[in-house]
Amino acid sequence: MPLKDINDLEKLKKINAALVSRVERSMDQQGNAFSLFQTAISLENRVRTRTEELHSTLRRLEQSNIDLSAAKENAELANLSKTRFLAAASHDVLQPLNAAHLSVSALAEVQTSDEGKKLVRQVERSLETMEDLLHTLLDISKLDAGVVQPDIGDVSLETLFSSLRSDFQPVAELKGLSLKFRPVHAVVRSDRTLLRRILQNILSNALGYTRSGGVLVGTRHRGDTIRIDVADTGCGIPDDQREAVFEEFHRGTSSANAELDGGGLGLGLAIVRRMASALGHPVTFSSKVGRGTIFHIDVPVGIGAPADAIANSADMERPRGYGLFGTKVLLVENDIEVLQAMTFLLERWQCLVRAATSTDDALDLLGDTDWVPDIVIADQHLDGGDLGTATIAEVRDYLGRVVPALIVTADSSEAVAKAARAGGIELMRKPLKPAQLRALLAHLLA
């Protein structure tokens, strides 16, 4: 209907309102579309900004990972370098220390006065403390560097306990303490040397912090594991020191043996934790101040009779009283101070010594057909790059028989130990303890 034909005012108002409403709706729609367009552009800009920030963060993270990886590699190289340095330094330091041990031992045999013997003993104790510190620092360095590879096998606890009893019984008696090992016929899976060091350090601490009573070592079966307990009646460990006792150079405030051993080094339990971690043997303890402490070591049960049981039983039964009178010793050592000290000590034991510094020197000494050595003692690292194990092999080949032999070295590497075992050669680490050397020589010659 044409607008001119509409005379009703109300109808005109309604039509006008409808038209206005339609126009407003159209404008609103256009406004919403424009608003959405603006919002989309804003969101796109924000997404772009966040994406750039994320890329920047990822690049920084990637660079940080590269830097961390480089730092880790440098730290590992530095740690290995430190271990090599300590190994080399300890080898060089142990050489004169070994000579000092041998010289002091020989000096002790010619002392007649009580004052002289007392002074010799003081020097021996100082040398032993220095030796323990060097060996312990080297052990910690090796364990931290991860270069210690446990040699896992079946270990007889009875054999191990007998060895520890022999070592620590004199210490306990000197302090008026009891030391008891409960009988055990169990076999565990472990590295015999590392497990012995763990127990040795715990026992040393137990006796050191006990004034009265004593120490008891026993075992308990716990499923597939055997728990070794070392209980003492010492001063105990306060709760606030439960973690601190495993830290380097931490010592309790009431060491009962300060007057006997110079106070100790505070490294025993630090070594225990590292060795136990390398073996996977959990070490825990319970303690009451003033009443004592019990250390627990959980070790897997063995799977058979230990290969070292017979050998170590033989070790315990070694004859100790045989003399060395007239024993012919071929000594091969390139360190002059050690050579002189060892020669003097062996001659004090009535041995007949001929000394050499290399393989060629040793073979030259064998040119005298009237002199055939009863035993060969050689350092592992000799002049001209010669190795003691190779020297012994050549000497045996020259003589046409497997003469008893002993490698004496400050080199603590497993490679030397394997070479000695492969050649059927006994091995002792420097610095030597003269009493142990004499007992081993007597055993080899018996």
Side-chain angles (χ1 to χ4, degrees), residues 196-206 267-268 271-272:
R196 191 185 193 284
R197 286 292 302 279
I198 290 173
L199 293 172
Q200 178 180 322
N201 287 351
I202 293 176
L203 275 169
S204 180
N205 261 28
L267 291 169
I271 282 285
V272 164

Side-chain angles (χ1 to χ4, degrees), residues 81 115 167 268 285 301 344:
S81 178
E115 185 65 21
D167 286 351
F285 70 87
V301 174
F344 183 76

Side-chain angles (χ1 to χ4, degrees), residues 31 55 59 75 109 134 139 169 177 201 237 240 261 285 343 377 387:
H55 280 306
R59 284 194 296 270
E109 295 191 11
L134 284 170
D139 286 342
Q169 193 65 53
L177 301 173
N201 287 351
I237 300 172
D240 60 356
D261 64 3
F285 70 87
T343 300
I377 302 176
L387 297 178

Side-chain angles (χ1 to χ4, degrees), residues 134-208:
L134 284 170
H135 280 305
T136 302
L137 289 175
L138 184 59
D139 286 342
I140 287 178
S141 177
K142 287 181 177 180
L143 289 166
D144 286 346
V147 298
V148 174
Q149 298 297 326
D151 183 13
I152 303 298
D154 286 341
V155 180
S156 165
L157 288 183
E158 181 60 36
T159 301
L160 186 58
F161 285 2
S162 296
S163 174
L164 291 168
R165 183 190 298 111
S166 175
D167 286 351
F168 285 96
Q169 193 65 53
V171 179
E173 292 175 356
L174 180 63
K175 298 185 62 181
L177 301 173
S178 68
L179 175 61
K180 296 181 179 179
F181 289 78
R182 286 179 176 165
V184 58
H185 299 288
V187 176
V188 295
R189 294 286 294 174
S190 184
D191 180 301
R192 186 180 189 279
T193 301
L194 294 181
L195 181 59
R196 191 185 193 284
R197 286 292 302 279
I198 290 173
L199 293 172
Q200 178 180 322
N201 287 351
I202 293 176
L203 275 169
S204 180
N205 261 28
L207 291 170

Side-chain angles (χ1 to χ4, degrees), residues 121 125 171 174-175 256-263:
R121 180 55 190 152
R125 285 170 53 190
V171 179
L174 180 63
K175 298 185 62 181
N257 64 339
E259 67 279 6
L260 292 177
D261 64 3

